[in-house]
């Protein structure tokens, strides 16, 4: 285990402890025992929320790193390329038609939406490695799924359904319970395991597709693994936390120097850094002085948009 990984783990433990303590009501360490009545805040509210933040951050971080490695595109991200919005559309359909009352139908719809969108991008990846093609394809998919989501809001059968859809799309970890943790954890675990197995193939792709084939990489098998892994991780996070963007874009760029710019070696540091980023962000939104809690998805967009602009400007300078 590298020194950088150890530092990330230490920072993650400190962030998790801070997440348990921080909020409108601060709960000191000596009140975390069952003898103190404030401990129920930790056990029933803060602990499942913190664990879910870790799961969501790790899932989005690895999904972004895997997409960037597979597409060989530094701007790849589940949100920017329509995967998150596709998963959101699936969840919105479940809410629109009233299927969300059954616990497993909403995540099933979200997974189906993420898989369909990722499959479309994977088909493009099999034909071209052009940054422009992937970016345009992502914009088209994001626009299409966004339009269909807006249509669902405008045609919502009741104002309550429309409000539920809008709230879901903002993304948040507010009022999440152990049921949400139990839903996300197995799906994300399977998705991370699938993506972790692609690490050698992602490293081989840096040599070019022909060289990767000579090293034993099977493009169709790799494509299916990326589709399945990203669909599981992104679909599970959208199903439990709504749309939280830019994590998969920012995190791989921040940890790539620690992995010597190897796509495969970037996966696990991205999981740790993603979990750290979402946990810290979720803690900070609770501390913002406002009548209602700032939505985590909005906060991440405010942070991620300038970062995306910086990447675009840096890319333009390289191409000039």
């Amino acid at each position: 285990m590298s020194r950088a990984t150890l530092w990330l783990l230490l920072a993650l433990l400190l962030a998790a402890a801070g997440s348990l303590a921080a909020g409108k009501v601060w709960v000191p360490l000596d009140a975390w025992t069952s003898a103190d009545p404030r401990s129920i805040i930790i056990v029933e509210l803060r602990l499942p929320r913190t664990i879910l933040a870790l799961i969501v951050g790790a899932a989005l971080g690895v999904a972004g790193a895997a997409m960037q490695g597979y597409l060989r595109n530094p701007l790849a991200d589940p949100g920017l390329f329509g995967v998150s919005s596709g998963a959101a559309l699936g969840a919105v359909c479940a809410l629109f038609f009233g299927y969300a009352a059954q616990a497993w139908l909403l995540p099933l719809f979200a997974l189906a939406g993420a898989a369909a969108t990722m499959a479309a991008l994977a088909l493009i990846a099999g034909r071209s490695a052009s940054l422009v093609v992937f970016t345009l394809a992502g914009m088209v998919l994001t626009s299409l799924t966004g339009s269909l989501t807006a249509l669902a809001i405008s045609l919502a059968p009741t104002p309550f359904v429309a409000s539920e859809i809008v709230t879901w799309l903002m993304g948040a970890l507010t009022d999440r319970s152990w049921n949400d943790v139990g839903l996300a954890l197995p799906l994300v675990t399977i998705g991370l395991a699938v993506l972790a197995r692609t690490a050698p193939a992602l490293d081989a792709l840096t040599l070019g597709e022909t060289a990767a084939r000579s090293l034993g990489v099977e493009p169709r098998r790799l494509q299916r693994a990326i589709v399945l892994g990203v669909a599981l991780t992104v679909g599970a996070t959208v199903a439990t936390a709504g749309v939280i963007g830019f994590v998969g874009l920012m995190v791989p760029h921040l940890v790539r120097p620690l992995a010597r710019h190897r796509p495969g070696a970037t996966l696990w540091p991205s999981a740790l850094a993603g979990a750290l980023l979402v946990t810290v962000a979720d803690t900070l939104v609770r501390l913002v002085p406002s009548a209602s809690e700032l939505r985590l998805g909005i906060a991440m967009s405010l942070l991620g948009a300038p970062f995306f602009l910086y990447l675009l400007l840096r890319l333009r300078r390289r191409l000039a």
Side-chain angles (χ1 to χ4, degrees), residues 144-211:
L144 176 61
T145 53
S147 299
L148 293 174
T149 300
L151 179 64
I153 295 173
S154 64
L155 298 179
T158 65
F160 174 76
V161 172
S163 176
E164 281 289 298
I165 292 174
V166 172
T167 301
W168 196 265
L169 293 176
M170 290 181 182
L173 297 174
T174 309
D175 300 325
R176 297 305 189 262
S177 66
W178 288 107
N179 291 333
D180 297 291
V181 174
L183 174 64
L185 184 59
L187 295 174
V188 170
T189 300
I190 296 172
L192 293 181
V194 171
L195 292 177
R197 291 177 62 87
T198 67
L202 294 178
D203 286 339
L205 278 179
T206 60
L207 303 175
E209 190 168 332
T210 303

Side-chain angles (χ1 to χ4, degrees), residues 91 245 250:
M250 294 187 291

Side-chain angles (χ1 to χ4, degrees), residues 147-315:
S147 299
L148 293 174
T149 300
L151 179 64
I153 295 173
S154 64
L155 298 179
T158 65
F160 174 76
V161 172
S163 176
E164 281 289 298
I165 292 174
V166 172
T167 301
W168 196 265
L169 293 176
M170 290 181 182
L173 297 174
T174 309
D175 300 325
R176 297 305 189 262
S177 66
W178 288 107
N179 291 333
D180 297 291
V181 174
L183 174 64
L185 184 59
L187 295 174
V188 170
T189 300
I190 296 172
L192 293 181
V194 171
L195 292 177
R197 291 177 62 87
T198 67
L202 294 178
D203 286 339
L205 278 179
T206 60
L207 303 175
E209 190 168 332
T210 303
R213 286 176 182 271
S214 68
L215 292 173
V217 175
E218 297 184 20
R220 288 186 178 275
R221 180 180 295 179
L222 175 61
Q223 186 179 94
R224 288 194 295 266
I226 294 293
V227 169
L228 177 61
V230 172
L232 284 170
T233 51
V234 175
T237 59
V238 172
T240 53
V243 180
I244 300 175
F246 291 102
V247 177
L249 174 70
M250 294 187 291
V251 166
H253 284 276
L254 296 176
V255 303
R256 192 168 288 120
L258 304 178
R260 298 181 181 178
H261 299 274
R262 287 173 48 214
T266 304
L267 295 180
W268 287 121
S270 293
L272 296 176
L276 177 62
L277 176 62
V278 173
T279 302
V280 171
D282 184 55
T283 303
L284 294 177
V285 297
R286 280 181 257 163
L287 301 178
V288 174
S290 60
S292 60
E293 184 177 301
L294 177 65
R295 310 297 290 187
L296 179 59
I298 296 175
M300 293 308 303
S301 295
L302 292 174
L303 179 64
F307 189 88
F308 183 53
L309 178 61
Y310 161 73
L311 291 179
L312 285 177
L313 293 176
R314 191 174 68 173
L315 181 62

